[in-house]
Amino acid sequence: MSAEENREIVEQFYAASNSGDMDTCFSLIADDITWTNIGSTSLSGTFRGKAELQEKLLGPLFGRLKQGIHTNVHRIVAENDYVVAQTSGIAETLDGRPYNNSYCWIIRIQDGKFAEVTEYMDTELLTSVFG
């Protein structure tokens, strides 16, 4: 796929996420995804496969939020199989605390799906909100 097609897949993912269409989001993630959250937080680590990603990252994170994370995309740069997305998220915890973080995702697209993600964020903010 071209860099532009890969960029469009990432844009589609964020649009689906913001509209609450998790089926589309998951359809854009490869079954054997490798997702790494940088840092040493309670949600850091490398998650292999959709099941582990859901069980160890997405479930614990989104289970603590009222309505997920609304993502504002600031910049997307695509080159070959890689797409880099600079974003910010707006969310609220179940107990009413804001969780508004900044992110940089480095995404490798393979066969039209997210095959690998390395996610950078404000880890101090994550720890202060989620422990």
Side-chain angles (χ1 to χ4, degrees), residues 47 49-61:
F47 311 96
K50 279 185 183 180
E52 185 174 74
L53 179 65
Q54 176 62 35
E55 177 187 337
K56 294 185 177 177
L57 176 61
L58 301 179
L61 173 61

Side-chain angles (χ1 to χ4, degrees), residues 3-15:
E4 186 57 35
E5 289 170 318
N6 290 334
R7 175 192 174 101
E8 289 171 6
I9 289 165
V10 172
E11 290 173 341
Q12 182 183 2
F13 178 91
Y14 286 122

Side-chain angles (χ1 to χ4, degrees), residues 15-53:
S17 176
N18 282 341
S19 69
D21 182 359
M22 295 299 104
D23 289 339
T24 294
C25 289
F26 278 105
S27 76
L28 295 172
I29 296 174
D31 290 338
D32 61 349
I33 181 87
T34 299
W35 191 297
T36 301
N37 272 5
I38 297 301
S40 56
T41 73
S42 62
L43 297 174
S44 294
T46 298
F47 311 96
R48 290 180 174 79
K50 279 185 183 180
E52 185 174 74
L53 179 65

